[in-house]
Amino acid sequence: MMTNMKYEDRIGIIGAGISGVTAAYQLAKKGYNHITLLEKSDRVGGKCHSIEYKGKTYEMGTLIGLPTYKHTIELMREFDLMDKGPLLERGFFDTNGRKTTQIPMDQIQMFTQEFKRLPEILKRYKSLQEPGFLHLPADLCQPFSDWCTENELSVIGQVYMHYFNTFGFGSIQDVPAAYVLKFLTYDNLLSFIEITHMITWPKGVTELIRRMADQVEDLRLTCEVLHMEQDGNGQVRVETNQDIFYFDKVIYTASLEHLGDMIHLSSVDRALFECIIYERFRVYAYRVKGLPELSGYIPCNMNPERKGHMMAWYYRWADMGTTDLVTVYVAENDEMTDLEMREKVENKLRELGGENIRLYMMKRWKQFPHVDSNAIREGFYERLDQMQGRDKIYYAGEIMNFPTLENCIVYSKYLVERFF
């Protein structure tokens, strides 16, 4: 009888993005009976944000899944979401809007040699296969571009850039190698390079999260957490704009940026969270006619000095009839106005053949919470891990294991197995 008492614990989960919803779903599967999911916005999903336009879904946040995402696919099977979505045909374009090759012809031989060596190099990093970023080898703490230089991977480094920078994860020149290699494992990189059927969810990626959230006993939307603290009975008192809750344990999956406004943090903990860097990223949805009917990358706009310029666009549903809605991806430039960034985007759309260009909507994201090389070397993740369970609060979410759908799912499942 005593062994089952823990399943009567009241568990509060803050944040109904993929991390929070996965944690709630896994706890329910384990037998926990009292789970409350608190979300400050009016929808579940977080950066998984599917919209509908003319009867079809489009993605304003999370874009695709890879065939290697086994945990994501397992959940898709459970919720009968295995229908294939639109094909993702891709191309590469130069600064003038002309189609080009991903790898210049004069670098093909070097690319082939580097790609052959890559699996052996990556075998050194077994720790990257585990959830989280604990106990990283020193060479993974340096910027990824330095790691490439050290391993004589100059051409491969550019290929990594195409798939890392485009999705708002910053620049491979600055971001520690551990993050890049956590996202772009050898198999994931191969999925991008080859023409494979990406996971594109015909009903939108948000549908998976909605169906998981429907299993949660107590979901509260537009419920903002104002304060958390342990009370005299050892429970966590959570004050929100809707109600006051008392939980035996809390899982916090939202951004750590504002955590100091909700709970008491020591000066040491505050300094730890102040290390976190965010990338500002925009997804524009444009109504436009005349574009090439495929999704495209513009590598020359992926360098840090080209922030504010269009890095890529996604032409969804190209294999199922033409569409006049495309989504466009831009790293924000703090020195450019909204109008200037829009002008850059719209000029590029015209160069690509676009006509009758009209902005439909735009989403701004604080993307990819991470820390720099020094913070990783100084034990940021070890110190964050030591906070797990302190005052009965546990942490999951993007920063713990890289902000892809798969990595967030993996870490939430790991957290539940480890502590619950």
Side-chain angles (χ1 to χ4, degrees):
M1 188 69 165
M2 290 298 292
T3 57
N4 292 325
M5 287 297 291
K6 71 175 184 178
Y7 297 121
E8 297 305 312
D9 282 354
R10 295 191 173 276
I11 311 295
I13 301 174
I14 298 169
I18 185 61
S19 296
V21 171
T22 299
Y25 181 58
Q26 294 300 318
L27 286 166
K29 284 174 73 174
K30 283 194 83 166
Y32 282 85
N33 296 309
H34 307 292
I35 302 163
T36 299
L37 184 55
L38 309 178
E39 169 56 50
K40 72 176 182 180
S41 81
D42 60 358
R43 63 177 186 87
V44 299
K47 292 188 179 77
C48 296
H49 187 192
S50 310
I51 63 169
E52 190 168 303
Y53 172 79
K54 293 186 178 179
K56 294 188 174 83
T57 57
Y58 295 81
E59 305 295 359
M60 295 300 296
T62 297
L63 180 60
I64 54 172
L66 300 179
T68 52
Y69 284 9
K70 63 178 185 178
H71 294 269
T72 305
I73 292 169
E74 181 183 307
L75 288 170
M76 288 165 60
R77 281 202 184 95
E78 287 183 38
F79 289 96
D80 194 25
L81 290 171
M82 291 300 291
D83 292 348
K84 286 194 173 180
L87 290 171
L88 178 58
E89 185 183 348
R90 296 158 287 161
F92 288 79
F93 293 78
D94 66 18
T95 188
N96 297 312
R98 292 185 298 254
K99 199 164 183 184
T100 183
T101 56
Q102 179 175 4
I103 302 158
M105 293 304 295
D106 61 351
Q107 295 181 3
I108 290 288
Q109 186 176 356
M110 188 180 295
F111 168 79
T112 303
Q113 292 170 354
E114 291 179 7
F115 202 75
K116 282 180 180 175
R117 289 194 293 113
L118 189 60
E120 276 303 314
I121 295 169
L122 296 180
K123 277 182 186 174
R124 304 177 201 151
Y125 306 117
K126 296 280 193 284
S127 62
L128 286 180
Q129 297 169 23
E130 301 299 320
F133 291 103
L134 295 176
H135 313 301
L136 294 171
D139 58 334
L140 291 186
C141 299
Q142 65 184 321
F144 182 71
S145 57
D146 294 348
W147 180 87
C148 287
T149 301
E150 193 175 275
N151 288 283
E152 299 180 344
L153 296 172
S154 60
V155 181
I156 284 280
Q158 292 303 302
V159 175
Y160 271 95
M161 179 190 77
H162 298 158
Y163 307 115
F164 190 82
N165 296 25
T166 301
F167 299 116
F169 299 138
S171 168
I172 64 166
Q173 295 174 25
D174 304 313
V175 172
Y179 292 114
V180 182
L181 296 176
K182 171 74 78 167
F183 167 40
L184 291 168
T185 64
Y186 181 80
D187 288 340
N188 287 356
L189 185 66
L190 201 59
S191 292
F192 276 115
I193 293 171
E194 293 181 336
I195 303 299
T196 55
H197 198 299
M198 303 294 187
I199 305 171
T200 52
W201 303 285
K203 296 179 181 177
V205 61
T206 309
E207 185 65 17
L208 172 62
I209 300 172
R210 282 198 205 102
R211 293 199 188 182
M212 291 169 69
D214 284 346
Q215 310 300 309
V216 179
E217 173 195 348
D218 188 13
L219 169 63
R220 306 290 183 101
L221 298 179
T222 62
C223 187
E224 183 177 1
V225 175
L226 304 174
H227 187 70
M228 293 191 291
E229 63 181 357
Q230 263 196 299
D231 68 4
N233 297 320
Q235 290 186 308
V236 185
R237 180 183 181 274
V238 179
E239 180 185 343
T240 76
N241 62 333
Q242 289 186 8
D243 210 340
I244 294 175
F245 300 88
Y246 292 88
F247 299 118
D248 296 296
K249 293 178 180 177
V250 167
I251 300 176
Y252 185 90
T253 72
S255 170
L256 293 176
E257 183 181 19
H258 304 298
L259 185 64
D261 299 330
M262 301 175 200
I263 67 173
H264 172 72
L265 291 176
S266 68
S267 58
V268 173
D269 291 341
R270 280 187 183 276
L272 186 70
F273 291 153
E274 286 169 3
C275 292
I276 300 172
I277 302 163
Y278 298 84
E279 300 294 334
R280 296 186 180 274
F281 190 62
R282 294 185 177 206
V283 182
Y284 294 91
Y286 272 98
R287 296 181 68 179
V288 55
K289 295 184 182 296
L291 283 186
E293 293 183 4
L294 77 171
S295 300
Y297 297 92
I298 308 173
C300 59
N301 284 344
M302 295 175 188
N303 294 312
E305 63 272 13
R306 298 289 288 176
K307 280 187 174 183
H309 292 257
M310 173 174 158
M311 295 186 292
W313 76 93
Y314 181 23
Y315 193 106
R316 189 166 162 89
W317 303 105
D319 59 321
M320 302 176 73
T322 56
T323 178
D324 67 340
L325 195 77
V326 298
T327 45
V328 171
Y329 304 90
V330 177
E332 273 194 16
N333 186 329
D334 294 336
E335 297 177 3
M336 290 169 65
T337 65
D338 287 354
L339 182 59
E340 286 170 336
M341 277 187 268
R342 272 191 60 186
E343 285 176 346
K344 296 290 185 188
V345 169
E346 290 168 17
N347 286 339
K348 183 58 64 181
L349 290 172
R350 286 188 195 95
E351 288 174 5
L352 290 161
E355 298 174 349
N356 197 18
I357 298 165
R358 291 161 290 168
L359 181 64
Y360 181 68
M361 70 177 289
M362 185 266 285
K363 285 291 296 183
R364 300 177 68 187
W365 300 108
K366 290 193 79 171
Q367 184 89 323
F368 181 38
H370 64 287
V371 295
D372 65 17
S373 294
N374 286 335
I376 290 188
R377 287 191 193 101
E378 290 168 6
F380 172 87
Y381 280 100
E382 285 71 24
R383 290 163 62 191
L384 189 55
D385 193 66
Q386 288 166 11
M387 293 179 68
Q388 295 285 23
R390 186 194 301 171
D391 299 327
K392 298 193 174 179
I393 299 173
Y394 300 82
Y395 300 93
E398 294 181 311
I399 195 167
M400 307 304 291
N401 197 40
F402 199 84
T404 59
L405 198 69
E406 178 76 357
N407 281 315
C408 288
I409 290 169
V410 164
Y411 196 87
S412 287
K413 291 174 77 170
Y414 162 75
L415 184 87
V416 168
E417 287 304 310
R418 181 180 175 191
F419 294 111
F420 293 81

